[in-house]
Amino acid sequence: MMVSKKKKILLVGSFSEVRSLANSLISKNFKVTIINNNYEECEKLAENDKLTVIYGDGSKKFVLDDADAASCHIAIALTKSDEANLIICEMCKDFFHVQKCVSMLNDPMKTEFFYQMGIDRVVCALNMITNIMEENALMDEMMKMVPLDKGKLHIVETTILHNSAMIGKKLWELNLPKEIIIGCIVRDDKSLIPRGDTSVKEGDTLLMITSDIDELSEMKELTIN
């Protein structure tokens, strides 16, 4: 019986941005390569023998080549520079034909421009927080949640598949655990502010926030059943 090859993911960014994401991806059986331009941080990352770590500037073509970007299925740019993230994604697309490129973004005003430049997914933390803040009911829930678990919140992205029982239901009909907030719904590359009467559609991506990771795991199971 043939064993399917692990999907390869390329992460470009500093230690704090990539370490947790890399560990999460490895636990899901992905093969992860990290590009980092700080030698000491590379040494720390390399302590995990399941990671491939490349020291260098991820916006340089020869560094992406060293990281074997052409063999990666997904590239995620997580540097603190929006310009660098755009360059990294464009080079991965144009020179190494990476199937899907994701960019972190600090300036929400650049979101549409990044999509126009061919980035497959743009993740802006400020947009996510703004969506939550604009919904007063959700703000009340956040105020209750923040002190829990020493202030640690968990965010999980999950996509609604064609066989999900949630399709067609309004958010108020989902009977969500009180520990969970749906902070944002991404639909057709647009971010929607979720409200009680918002209906869930096939292909929606839900960004779920909670202080109780066990509740979040149970909720994620509901999205695929």
Side-chain angles (χ1 to χ4, degrees):
M1 181 177 68
M2 294 184 61
V3 178
S4 60
K5 294 175 63 177
K6 289 184 178 180
K7 282 196 173 182
K8 295 181 65 175
I9 297 183
L10 175 64
L11 305 179
V12 184
S14 64
F15 183 83
S16 58
E17 277 78 26
V18 300
R19 182 180 60 168
S20 295
L21 178 56
N23 289 335
S24 176
L25 291 169
I26 288 171
S27 71
K28 294 176 174 61
N29 206 33
F30 289 100
K31 187 175 182 180
V32 180
T33 297
I34 290 175
I35 297 176
N36 182 289
N37 63 1
N38 182 297
Y39 188 78
E40 292 182 355
E41 291 184 357
C42 284
E43 288 186 318
K44 292 180 182 178
L45 291 166
E47 291 175 1
N48 185 341
D49 59 9
K50 294 182 179 180
L51 282 174
T52 299
V53 181
I54 304 296
Y55 169 59
D57 181 351
S59 64
K60 305 296 184 183
K61 183 181 177 183
F62 73 91
V63 176
L64 292 170
D65 198 14
D66 288 343
D68 196 17
S71 70
C72 295
H73 300 82
I74 301 173
I76 306 176
L78 297 160
T79 77
K80 293 181 172 61
S81 167
D82 291 344
E83 290 72 19
N85 289 341
L86 179 60
I87 291 171
I88 291 165
C89 288
E90 287 198 309
M91 293 186 73
C92 284
K93 282 276 190 184
D94 295 342
F95 294 109
F96 300 99
H97 309 293
V98 177
Q99 295 174 13
K100 184 173 183 179
C101 291
V102 180
S103 173
M104 281 294 294
L105 185 63
N106 295 298
D107 183 357
M109 298 296 291
K110 300 175 183 175
T111 302
E112 185 176 351
F113 172 70
F114 269 50
Y115 280 122
Q116 290 174 350
M117 295 302 292
I119 309 304
D120 297 291
R121 178 63 61 86
V122 179
V123 181
C124 180
L126 183 58
N127 276 342
M128 291 170 56
I129 294 171
T130 300
N131 285 340
I132 296 171
M133 296 288 284
E134 288 179 354
E135 181 59 68
N136 291 331
L138 295 182
M139 183 58 185
D140 291 339
E141 290 297 324
M142 281 189 65
M143 295 301 290
K144 295 175 184 176
M145 287 175 59
V146 169
L148 299 179
D149 195 22
K150 298 181 181 179
K152 295 179 181 178
L153 297 177
H154 304 278
I155 301 177
V156 167
E157 177 181 301
T158 186
T159 300
I160 303 299
L161 303 180
H162 70 280
N163 57 343
S164 173
M166 295 175 66
I167 294 174
K169 291 186 177 180
K170 299 183 185 298
L171 294 188
W172 67 265
E173 296 177 306
L174 298 181
N175 193 27
L176 299 177
K178 64 179 181 180
E179 293 84 1
I180 291 178
I181 292 172
I182 296 179
C184 178
I185 297 177
V186 179
R187 180 179 296 163
D188 298 328
D189 291 329
K190 295 182 180 179
S191 298
L192 306 178
I193 299 173
R195 304 182 185 279
D197 60 353
T198 301
S199 296
V200 178
K201 296 185 178 181
E202 179 183 344
D204 283 354
T205 296
L206 308 184
L207 296 178
M208 300 185 295
I209 307 170
T210 186
S211 59
D212 188 334
I213 194 64
D214 292 329
E215 288 280 10
L216 196 51
S217 297
E218 293 179 11
M219 179 60 193
K220 192 172 180 181
E221 286 297 318
L222 293 176
T223 67
I224 59 176
N225 293 318

